[in-house]
Amino acid sequence: PKTDIVFLKVHKSASSTVMNILFRFGEMHNLTFAFPIGGGNQLFYPRHFLARFVEGFSPSSPRRFNILCHHMRFLQPEVHKVVSSSAFYFSILRNPVKLMESSFAYYKGASAFSRVRSLEEFLRQPYHYYNPTDGDRHYARNLMTFDFGFNPDGEVSAERVKLMLKAIEASFDLLLISEYFDESMVLLKEMLCWDLDSVVSFPLNIRDSSTKSPLSDTVVEKIKDWNRLDWEIYTHFNRTFWERIDRDIGRERMQREVKALRERQGELARTCLQGMGSVAPKHIKDSSLKPLQHGSARILGYNLKQGLDKETERMCRRLVTPELQYSSALYKKQF
């Protein structure tokens, strides 16, 4: 199994669920994490990543960490300083239309969104609200482009897009697609030589559907236009994602693997969870399992069954612990 891993945690793309998978694997195999200094949950985002943001890094005796997975703005030469040269790099992408809708609900306090009532209103005249010099502008435009380290306000020329895609391909071994999360996990498991249980998960940091609103076709087109760089990244890597599945696994085997993954997930839900699924924040009984609430989104969580034996309880708890609590527990353990 591969144990040296860099995960670029792209915002609002099921990346908290992926992070939980990495946390669990790292904890089970006693791996070290590249934590933000002081145990925060972001590597000084939105600044470009620097090796000195990592707790325990010193240029004089460069210490290598196994897993780098906290929010950062990607800068490969600096990432190279904290992980082994053979590390496996991957990230996950999401359809920019859904990403923007989610971002609007989650980052309602961001300067570009704080003065508008709806996404439609913002898109009618974005430059009325959006200022390219604002420090938090990236939440409102080409968020994936920004997380990968590029300029979200860059011009969209064929040449520039080509260079950007080339740069991402040169840095990353695998790009997953959050709309095909189960297929993504099967692909990840194959590439990392992990077993099925290592990639099983329950969705984390997801919001209640009451805050989601259907978008009209006009709005969808406007979002694509406004996030053109993200759209180019997404469509390109969505295509290569399926090409890779066809080349390395094949659709038939993929279907079987996805079925096995979902069955295992169902099994664990029956073992671990009260009522099989996620619940609204006010119904979470154990306060240590309450996810951080953010913006106008209501972030769901889980209740564990009572009376589980110690070992099962520990396994179940790992699966449903929100990222901030899990991160800080691992940080305390490591330092």
Side-chain angles (χ1 to χ4, degrees):
K2 290 195 169 71
T3 52
D4 292 318
I5 294 160
V6 174
F7 172 53
L8 177 64
K9 187 174 187 286
V10 170
H11 287 77
K12 316 293 355 116
S13 304
S15 57
S16 295
T17 309
V18 178
M19 196 175 190
N20 175 272
I21 287 171
L22 295 172
F23 280 169
R24 282 174 10 230
F25 187 85
E27 186 180 15
M28 302 281 289
H29 296 83
N30 277 323
L31 304 177
T32 56
F33 290 89
F35 284 107
I37 282 182
N41 55 324
Q42 301 197 338
L43 289 151
F44 293 82
Y45 186 87
R47 291 166 63 185
H48 271 105
F49 175 80
L50 295 174
R52 62 182 171 83
F53 295 162
V54 172
E55 179 94 41
F57 171 82
S58 100
S60 53
S61 61
R63 172 180 175 195
R64 303 280 185 217
F65 298 87
N66 297 118
I67 298 177
L68 173 62
C69 64
H70 286 72
H71 272 308
M72 62 170 160
R73 188 171 182 208
F74 191 66
L75 186 61
Q76 191 160 23
E78 288 291 317
V79 169
H80 268 330
K81 296 176 184 175
V82 296
V83 293
S84 113
S85 55
S86 61
F88 180 86
Y89 286 69
F90 80 105
S91 186
I92 187 164
L93 305 171
R94 185 183 187 185
N95 183 321
V97 175
K98 294 186 187 149
L99 182 77
M100 175 129 200
E101 190 273 331
S102 175
S103 205
F104 184 79
Y106 205 79
Y107 302 114
K108 192 67 184 76
S111 351
F113 293 151
S114 59
R115 292 179 295 135
V116 279
R117 278 189 305 277
S118 67
L119 193 48
E120 286 78 354
E121 190 183 328
F122 173 82
L123 291 159
R124 266 201 292 281
Q125 38 177 359
Y127 281 111
H128 189 70
Y129 308 102
Y130 177 86
N131 179 352
T133 62
D134 282 340
D136 60 359
R137 76 189 191 287
H138 51 283
Y139 292 122
R141 185 176 204 188
N142 289 316
L143 182 49
M144 294 192 287
T145 303
F146 183 86
D147 285 354
F148 276 96
F150 304 103
N151 174 9
D153 296 300
E155 51 149 356
V156 190
S157 64
E159 188 48 33
R160 200 163 176 279
V161 166
K162 204 167 101 187
L163 286 169
M164 187 171 69
L165 297 174
K166 259 207 161 87
I168 295 173
E169 269 172 348
S171 302
F172 287 84
D173 299 292
L174 180 63
L175 286 139
L176 303 172
I177 301 290
S178 66
E179 280 76 19
Y180 302 103
F181 192 79
D182 293 344
E183 289 83 354
S184 290
M185 291 307 102
V186 170
L187 202 49
L188 184 66
K189 163 177 94 72
E190 290 292 300
M191 302 284 300
L192 294 174
C193 304
W194 287 8
D195 62 6
L196 182 69
D197 268 14
S198 297
V199 297
V200 169
S201 63
F202 296 144
L204 294 173
N205 203 22
I206 51 165
R207 65 192 168 113
D208 180 343
S209 53
S210 68
T211 58
K212 297 178 187 177
S213 43
L215 304 170
S216 70
D217 293 352
T218 330
V219 167
V220 167
E221 287 314 310
K222 279 183 178 166
I223 292 177
K224 285 185 199 171
D225 260 358
W226 177 245
N227 297 284
R228 181 55 60 187
L229 292 170
D230 270 11
W231 186 250
E232 295 288 348
I233 290 176
Y234 178 76
T235 48
H236 175 81
F237 288 108
N238 188 11
R239 195 180 64 247
T240 58
F241 175 79
W242 290 102
E243 285 169 2
R244 174 165 246 166
I245 286 175
D246 289 337
R247 191 186 70 221
D248 296 348
I249 296 182
R251 301 279 169 123
E252 269 176 45
R253 189 175 141 223
M254 177 53 90
Q255 270 176 336
R256 288 199 304 275
E257 295 265 356
V258 164
K259 188 167 172 275
L261 180 68
R262 288 177 182 161
E263 279 168 4
R264 182 66 182 128
Q265 227 145 289
E267 220 171 279
L268 284 168
R270 284 189 293 278
T271 303
C272 297
L273 304 179
Q274 284 181 27
M276 288 288 289
S278 50
V279 296
K282 61 171 189 279
H283 298 308
I284 300 170
K285 299 180 185 111
D286 179 341
S287 61
S288 71
L289 295 178
K290 276 192 180 164
L292 173 77
Q293 300 299 315
H294 208 297
S296 64
R298 277 215 316 230
I299 308 301
L300 306 175
Y302 297 91
N303 284 318
L304 290 179
K305 275 191 176 155
Q306 302 293 300
L308 298 169
D309 65 78
K310 253 208 171 89
E311 202 38 49
T312 310
E313 211 267 350
R314 199 159 45 226
M315 172 201 64
C316 293
R317 184 169 284 276
R318 284 181 177 138
L319 278 161
V320 299
T321 299
E323 95 187 47
L324 300 190
Q325 288 94 309
Y326 207 154
S327 181
S328 99
L330 291 172
Y331 174 80
K332 285 190 187 111
K333 197 167 154 184
Q334 188 168 311
F335 291 104

